[in-house]
Amino acid sequence: MKLSTNAARLEWSAGPQAETACTGRSELFFPKASQGCDAPSRAERRALEICAGCPAREWCLERDLVESSTTDRIVGVRGGLREADRRALHVQRYGTRAAKRSGVRW
């Protein structure tokens, strides 16, 4: 089976070698996002605390940045960073921002 152009460019990894800290707790990692200029919300801080001690934190962050084609696909807390921080890192790395929406609803 032939992969699409986007799928062919992904660097596949077997994943982390140890169990991740978020295993079985995924609902904690999608809190309502705070604004980038604000301090993390209480829910975000809780998720960040769990990420801080995870052996797969760097792998998780890298996967999120590679797999997110645009910044609007970045949601929640992942890889030890909240949504706003990962979006800024994505822009820094890839130099692009999410396309502005024209107000047209699909």
Side-chain angles (χ1 to χ4, degrees):
M1 179 169 111
K2 185 175 178 179
L3 296 174
S4 71
T5 304
N6 289 340
R9 279 188 260 176
L10 288 176
E11 294 178 22
W12 298 101
S13 168
Q17 301 302 309
E19 186 171 319
T20 61
C22 61
T23 300
R25 301 192 244 185
S26 62
E27 72 283 350
L28 295 175
F29 293 87
F30 297 98
K32 182 178 179 193
S34 59
Q35 297 298 317
C37 58
D38 295 337
S41 68
R42 183 177 175 191
E44 286 175 317
R45 284 194 309 271
R46 176 68 183 127
L48 291 168
E49 288 170 5
I50 294 169
C51 278
C54 184
R57 187 172 50 92
E58 290 179 17
W59 177 87
C60 187
L61 176 59
E62 185 62 27
R63 292 292 354 126
D64 186 55
L65 293 172
V66 169
E67 292 172 355
S68 299
S69 56
T70 62
T71 56
D72 62 344
R73 293 185 173 260
I74 296 173
V75 295
V77 172
R78 192 166 176 193
L81 295 176
R82 62 190 179 134
E83 189 173 303
D85 297 328
R86 291 195 332 278
R87 285 181 177 183
L89 185 58
H90 191 279
V91 169
Q92 180 183 22
R93 181 184 275 191
Y94 299 109
T96 58
R97 296 183 186 273
K100 291 190 177 193
R101 297 184 182 177
S102 63
V104 175
R105 299 192 122 190
W106 297 94

